[in-house]
Amino acid sequence: MKILFVCLGNICRSPVLEAVLRAHAEKAGLDWEIASCGTGDWHLGHGADPRSRASAQRRGYSLAAHRARQLCAADFRRYDWLLAADRSNLAEIVRRRPADATARVALALAHAGLPQPLDVPDPYYGNAEGFEAVVDLAEAIARAIVARDAE
Ligand code: 4NP
């Protein structure tokens, strides 16, 4: 299984979604490839946002090795699933999808079978609670995907 999480900047949400699913998959003994990227290009090469790093670290997930990168055409063939943090990034992924794409595209929460909320809200311009909410949602997504796909 190869999964790519996609948000806007690849510094707040998708690095957390990536690290949390990787930890849960490894714990379940699954040899999955999990990565993340952004649709935007403002933060290329940057580490994860310090607020995301702190929220993740408190629950035992390290984002120290993360470097932001942008969604590229090859991602549409390399991965089985491109999982968008929210509906605006989902629309952007679909808009950029090349003709030879093989990856399937979905909202991360919907793919995990979690019907509400639809979006992992963008915490960038908000407060610390928004970053905690990202980790909460990332854990719910990881638990649900691993429980289903580990069978
Ligand atoms: P992310 O958050 O998409 O979860 O990484 C954002 C990061 C940066 C910006 C917006 C959202 N920005 O506007 O620079």
Side-chain angles (χ1 to χ4, degrees):
M1 183 73 78
K2 296 190 172 91
I3 293 176
L4 180 65
F5 287 106
V6 186
C7 66
L8 182 58
N10 193 213
I11 57 168
C12 296
R13 291 167 291 175
S14 60
V16 175
L17 292 163
E18 172 191 346
V20 173
L21 181 58
R22 182 179 300 115
H24 285 245
E26 280 176 4
K27 201 169 171 196
L30 300 168
D31 185 21
W32 287 359
E33 180 178 328
I34 301 157
S36 66
C37 70
T39 55
D41 64 0
W42 307 284
H43 299 284
L44 302 185
H46 295 187
D49 187 288
R51 299 165 293 176
S52 275
R53 292 179 63 160
S55 295
Q57 193 67 54
R58 276 194 289 276
R59 310 239 200 131
Y61 311 102
S62 174
L63 306 184
H66 179 74
R67 292 295 174 267
R69 73 166 182 89
Q70 193 173 20
L71 178 68
C72 66
D75 291 326
F76 287 87
R77 292 194 61 81
R78 175 173 186 94
Y79 292 94
D80 299 306
W81 285 99
L82 305 190
L83 298 181
D86 62 24
R87 285 165 283 175
S88 75
N89 284 293
L90 179 72
E92 191 57 31
I93 297 166
V94 169
R95 197 183 69 75
R96 295 189 199 176
R97 183 165 55 193
D100 67 350
T102 50
R104 284 180 281 179
V105 179
L107 282 173
L109 280 157
H111 179 68
L114 303 168
Q116 291 293 335
L118 288 170
D119 297 332
V120 179
D122 183 350
Y124 189 69
Y125 292 107
N127 57 25
E129 280 166 31
F131 286 83
E132 291 299 314
V134 170
V135 186
D136 290 338
L137 290 171
E139 289 188 323
I141 288 166
R143 272 191 223 105
I145 291 177
V146 167
R148 179 187 61 207
D149 294 354
E151 287 166 9

